Amino acid sequence: MTDDRHHTGHQARDASTWRQGALLALPLLLTLAGPAAAGDYKVGPQDKLKIRVFEWRPLSGAAYEWTPLDGEFVVSAGGNLSLPLVGAVPVEGRTTEEVARDIGARLKTQIGLQTSPVASVEVSEFRPFFVTGLVSKPGRYSYAPGLTVVQALSMAGGTFGPAEPNLIALQRDAVNNRGELRALEVERLGLLARQARLDAVLAGKAEVAFPPDLLKKAGRPAVDRMLREEQALFDARLHSMTAEIDALTQAKKLALNQVDTLNTKADLLAKQSQMANKELAAVNKLATQGLTASSRQFGAVQDVSDLESRSLDTSLALLKAQQDAAAADRDMIDLRNRYRVDALTEAAEVRARLAENEEKAGTAEALLTNAEVQAPSIARLAADDDQPAFNVFIDRSVNGAATSDLVGDNDLVEPGDVLRVEKRRRDAPAATASIVPLPAPAPH
């Protein structure tokens, strides 16, 4: 009888342990980009792609938008996009960059253009994933980048199993609060990385100096993605600002060269005007003495007028060139100020979110402590993450081959995955590693 009680207690502990990781209130959409948001994401059937196509037309000096190709298109079951003017475009297994290049090339060929239009392709809606097995609500669910196994299971209502009725509410509170703390920690790390980038922008540095609190967690995939993405965003914005400043510097240099040229021209015209005025004075003197024809006097007057008109035009052009140089200086100042104001605004937002994050974490920690004080067994059940009562497998197609892998709570889900939740055998291992694709099954 003692063995039976021990066996029953062990089952209850296993079931309760797994529920703490599976009953998260709502899936958190991480600020980090998951595999589906990365540049090497491969498009597949049921993905919805947002497409825009432009063509630069030098004669008009404007960009022409191919409106028939603008919109959202769903990849067919055969892995193709059916587009106006272009027809069927095979996209399955290709990145959005490859699809964009192919659309431009096909449009160039079919319409007979000299150059390929520029196409922009992004995934506006990922193909769904599926949850089956021992979950409350098996079925099809919409995918979001960065989705983890535990978040996917929470969308399906979590796993189910026996539990002591008087502990259900406390267990739910403890699990929800622990999940909230984990989510808030991920958000905090992301905000710290973002704050470090903004500090580098405001300090005029060439590289982001991440805080030690973040660097000591380097090596974790999520943290490494944070560091890479914030540094890449910093580099991109710095390059954009530098390119704009270089363009304005060149415009200022050109304007100053025009100023020098026009000053030289103005000096020459002044000398010519001086000589023309002397000649006109001499002709007028001869004309009063009746020693020259009036036509010569008229010609001298016309020469003086022409030189004065050219001098006036040169003065106006010189003023315009000086204004252009001054405008380039103002634009450079405005550009730097705009980037700085944007960084200051974003930094203020980050500080507010960090303060809010700290308040929420403190509240969740207090609620968790309260639940654990009321039922000390909750702390043991919630902390015992090594022996879940269920195993979760992901069925996935990798390069046309089917794989089935045992996964853990924090492994990432990809579009099209099928999550299978099965009761874990007492002698079966729990999931501790990330997905490692299995070899393709042998043909029958």
Side-chain angles (χ1 to χ4, degrees), residues 201-372:
V201 172
L202 295 173
K205 296 180 180 178
E207 189 174 354
V208 180
F210 294 104
D213 190 20
L214 194 59
L215 291 176
K216 69 182 181 182
K217 294 181 175 62
R220 301 180 186 179
V223 175
D224 288 344
R225 281 198 302 272
M226 290 179 189
L227 301 179
R228 287 196 306 269
E229 289 171 2
E230 292 298 338
Q231 183 64 53
L233 180 58
F234 174 82
D235 292 340
R237 292 187 176 178
L238 180 62
H239 179 269
S240 176
M241 184 182 71
T242 303
E244 291 186 66
I245 290 176
D246 287 345
L248 291 172
T249 302
Q250 290 297 324
K252 178 183 177 181
K253 184 178 179 181
L254 177 61
L256 292 177
N257 288 338
Q258 290 178 334
V259 169
D260 293 339
T261 302
L262 291 170
N263 279 327
T264 302
K265 183 177 180 180
D267 291 340
L268 291 175
L269 288 173
K271 292 178 180 178
Q272 291 177 353
S273 296
Q274 185 179 7
M275 294 174 62
N277 283 320
K278 289 182 179 180
E279 182 178 356
L280 177 60
V283 169
N284 286 337
K285 184 177 180 180
L286 292 174
T288 56
Q289 297 174 356
L291 299 178
T292 185
S294 60
S295 59
R296 182 180 177 186
Q297 184 181 20
F298 177 76
V301 171
Q302 194 172 28
D303 289 343
V304 170
S305 299
D306 181 59
L307 287 171
E308 289 177 349
S309 176
R310 289 169 61 189
S311 296
L312 180 60
D313 291 341
T314 301
S315 297
L316 291 174
L318 180 60
L319 179 61
K320 176 64 169 57
Q322 290 171 340
Q323 290 175 339
D324 289 343
D329 278 332
R330 288 195 305 273
D331 289 343
M332 281 189 281
I333 294 173
D334 290 343
L335 176 64
R336 290 190 174 94
N337 287 339
R338 186 174 74 248
Y339 274 88
R340 184 172 180 83
V341 168
D342 290 344
L344 287 170
T345 303
E346 191 176 356
E349 177 190 349
V350 169
R351 286 194 299 272
R353 289 184 60 185
L354 278 171
E356 181 183 3
N357 178 278
E358 185 178 357
E359 289 293 331
K360 288 182 177 179
T363 301
E365 185 68 38
L367 291 173
L368 178 61
T369 302
N370 182 61
E372 292 174 349

Side-chain angles (χ1 to χ4, degrees), residues 53-57 60 62-68 117-118:
V53 182
F54 293 89
E55 177 190 0
W56 175 254
R57 295 188 172 179
S60 62
Y64 173 79
E65 183 173 0
W66 291 81
T67 52
V118 178

Side-chain angles (χ1 to χ4, degrees), residues 73-241:
F73 301 86
V74 179
V75 180
S76 68
N80 298 319
L81 277 179
S82 181
L83 302 177
L85 305 177
V86 178
V89 180
V91 299
E92 184 175 5
R94 307 172 73 183
T95 65
T96 52
E97 291 80 5
E98 292 172 342
V99 173
R101 288 195 296 269
D102 192 14
I103 291 174
R106 287 171 180 264
L107 190 59
K108 173 187 175 184
T109 301
Q110 297 196 23
I111 305 299
L113 303 174
Q114 292 184 349
T115 59
S116 296
V118 178
S120 169
V121 179
E122 62 179 349
V123 181
S124 60
E125 183 177 330
F126 297 94
R127 56 189 182 274
F129 68 96
F130 304 85
V131 184
T132 185
L134 301 177
V135 291
S136 299
K137 295 182 292 183
R140 162 181 172 159
Y141 293 91
S142 298
Y143 177 81
L147 188 70
T148 63
V149 169
V150 71
Q151 292 169 350
L153 293 178
S154 70
M155 295 172 70
T159 58
F160 54 85
E164 298 179 34
N166 61 336
L167 292 180
I168 289 178
L170 290 175
Q171 288 174 343
R172 182 183 297 112
D173 290 343
V175 170
N176 287 342
N177 289 323
R178 283 189 179 275
E180 179 72 7
L181 285 172
R182 293 190 188 100
L184 289 171
E185 176 63 11
V186 172
E187 182 186 43
R188 187 182 73 87
L189 294 176
L191 290 172
L192 288 177
R194 187 175 169 191
Q195 187 178 53
R197 170 176 58 81
L198 295 171
D199 289 343
V201 172
L202 295 173
K205 296 180 180 178
E207 189 174 354
V208 180
F210 294 104
D213 190 20
L214 194 59
L215 291 176
K216 69 182 181 182
K217 294 181 175 62
R220 301 180 186 179
V223 175
D224 288 344
R225 281 198 302 272
M226 290 179 189
L227 301 179
R228 287 196 306 269
E229 289 171 2
E230 292 298 338
Q231 183 64 53
L233 180 58
F234 174 82
D235 292 340
R237 292 187 176 178
L238 180 62
H239 179 269
S240 176
M241 184 182 71

Side-chain angles (χ1 to χ4, degrees), residues 9-19 387-389 424 426:
H10 187 72
Q11 286 182 323
R13 182 172 63 84
D14 284 348
S16 300
T17 296
W18 176 246
R19 275 193 301 279
Q387 296 296 323
R424 185 177 68 85
R426 188 169 297 277

